[in-house]
């Protein structure tokens, strides 16, 4: 599916590629925009005002485990299948996921589809912001797709639980890649969620999510490889990705899998869980 050159991820598609296929019934387009309060953007309002023709809206707050007490935790396979099946999406479809800025929240939904059994899932380079800036077609028409059966094939091995995360931290069983900002990682900036301690898991490496893209597009494979090397991540060893609430951690997951790294998991509870507890070790500083 890679249409942007051999040095680009096979999991991203260009705006040119998608625009040429608008209206193709085998391609399902998903708007997965979500924002932090500080960004002052309303994804639902933006979707209603303009979206890519045929795109359905994936609400990351709603398609989640509402009983976990944590923000947008992964839903059960049954709940996920019901939600996306109602959007007219089956596990055999070619699925293209986008967000606003590009390479921000779309990778989380890309990851969710993949661990639920979809095989042909891609992220749109440049996002909706890039799409609109280039004058590509948009619409206000909300599609009403016929419901489909999404036959979930769940891959729990792709997820790290809290208990496993504690074991990884205590016994240094895997490398930990943290997608939050360097200041949040260091404990120099307060967490956006009230009552959350600041800092990082002992032994974690700082890989801010913005380091993997440029102008909303995923960087070349060579550049991704350098980003990991500069952060001290050994791509021959296991990696656990984490962030504030499990969303931007998937950007690191996308980058890892783009480089052929398969021994990686995502800590779904992320800092919302770890930093929200009183019985977990927390380190501060840039190292």
């Amino acid at each position: 599916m890679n249409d942007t050159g051999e040095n680009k991820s096979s999991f991203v598609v260009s705006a040119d590629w998608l625009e040429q296929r608008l209206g193709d019934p085998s391609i399902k387009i998903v708007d997965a925009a979500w924002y932090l309060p500080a960004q002052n953007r309303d994804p639902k309002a933006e979707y209603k005002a303009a979206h890519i023709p045929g795109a359905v809206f994936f609400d990351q707050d709603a398609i989640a485990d509402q009983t976990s007490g944590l923000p947008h935790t992964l839903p059960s396979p049954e709940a996920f299948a019901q939600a996306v099946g109602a959007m007219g999406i089956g596990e055999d479809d070619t699925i293209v996921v986008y967000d606003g800025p590009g390479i921000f929240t779309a990778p989380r939904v890309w990851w969710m589809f993949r661990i639920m059994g979809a095989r042909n899932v891609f992220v749109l380079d440049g996002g909706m912001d890039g799409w609109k800036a280039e004058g590509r077609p948009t619409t206000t028409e909300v599609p009403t797709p016929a419901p489909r059966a999404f036959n979930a094939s769940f891959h729990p091995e792709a997820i790290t639980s809290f208990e496993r995360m504690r074991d990884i931290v205590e016994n240094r069983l895997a490398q930990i890649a943290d997608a939050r900002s360097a200041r949040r990682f260091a404990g120099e900036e307060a967490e956006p969620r009230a009552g959350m301690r600041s800092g990082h898991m002992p032994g974690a490496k700082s890989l801010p999510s913005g380091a993997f893209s440029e102008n909303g597009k995923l960087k070349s494979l060579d550049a991704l490889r350098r980003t990991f090397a500069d952060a001290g991540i050994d791509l021959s060893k296991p990696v656990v990705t984490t962030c504030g609430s499990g969303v931007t951690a998937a950007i690191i997951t996308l980058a890892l899998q783009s480089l052929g790294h398969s021994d990686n998991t995502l800590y779904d509870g992320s800092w919302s869980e770890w930093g929200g507890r009183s019985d977990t070790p927390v380190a501060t500083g840039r190292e």
Side-chain angles (χ1 to χ4, degrees):
M1 193 63 68
N2 185 342
D3 63 311
T4 50
E6 291 182 1
N7 199 27
K8 284 283 285 186
S9 171
S10 61
F11 296 120
V12 298
V13 294
S14 69
D16 282 343
W17 184 94
L18 183 59
E19 186 175 0
Q20 290 166 11
R21 290 161 177 79
L22 291 179
D24 183 334
S26 69
I27 295 177
K28 304 301 168 70
I29 308 172
V30 178
D31 183 323
W34 178 89
Y35 299 103
L36 291 164
Q39 291 172 283
N40 200 29
R41 292 179 66 168
D42 183 336
K44 290 181 182 177
E46 290 188 18
Y47 173 81
K48 288 178 181 177
H51 53 267
I52 296 175
V56 294
F57 184 75
F58 188 109
D59 187 338
Q60 297 202 46
D61 288 324
I63 304 175
D65 179 358
Q66 305 296 336
T67 67
S68 75
L70 298 168
H72 37 248
T73 304
L74 194 71
S76 69
E78 296 76 18
F80 182 88
Q82 183 177 14
V84 301
M87 298 177 188
I89 301 173
E91 75 281 1
D92 292 329
D93 287 323
T94 295
I95 303 163
V96 178
V97 188
Y98 72 87
D99 55 40
I103 318 299
F104 179 51
T105 59
R108 166 73 181 194
V109 175
W110 167 85
W111 174 79
M112 290 173 74
F113 270 109
R114 282 169 56 81
I115 69 165
M116 293 297 182
R119 289 171 288 282
N120 300 307
V121 195
F122 306 92
V123 174
L124 176 65
D125 244 359
M128 186 62 176
D129 292 354
W131 184 275
K132 289 194 293 187
E134 293 166 357
R136 299 180 188 273
T138 64
T139 185
T140 58
E141 183 180 345
V142 176
T144 53
R148 291 195 60 193
F150 184 99
N151 299 299
S153 178
F154 185 46
H155 295 279
E157 69 278 4
I159 305 162
T160 287
S161 66
F162 170 74
E163 292 76 16
R164 175 64 177 165
M165 195 72 226
R166 190 195 285 279
D167 194 22
I168 287 169
V169 170
E170 288 179 357
N171 297 300
R172 298 293 197 267
L173 300 177
Q175 301 167 103
I176 305 167
D178 191 325
R180 294 174 303 149
S181 71
R183 287 179 56 78
R184 285 172 66 187
F185 178 91
E188 298 166 0
E189 181 180 294
E191 287 294 305
R193 294 173 180 84
M196 203 75 59
R197 291 177 296 163
S198 296
H200 58 266
M201 299 161 206
K205 303 289 188 181
S206 177
L207 284 94
S209 58
F212 297 93
S213 62
E214 192 168 9
N215 298 321
K217 296 181 179 181
L218 193 68
K219 289 182 177 179
S220 70
L221 298 181
D222 289 343
L224 295 179
R225 207 172 277 110
R226 285 194 298 272
T227 298
F228 285 113
D230 290 347
I233 295 290
D234 183 343
L235 293 176
S236 70
K237 296 178 180 178
V239 179
V240 179
T241 66
T242 183
C243 60
S245 62
V247 174
T248 59
I251 297 172
I252 307 180
T253 303
L254 172 63
L256 286 168
Q257 296 191 13
S258 296
L259 293 170
H261 186 284
S262 58
D263 193 1
N264 57 80
T265 60
L266 189 150
Y267 173 31
D268 201 34
S270 282
W271 198 255
S272 294
E273 183 171 50
W274 192 274
R277 298 176 65 115
S278 59
D279 62 346
T280 49
V282 171
T284 55
R286 296 286 176 130
E287 295 296 328

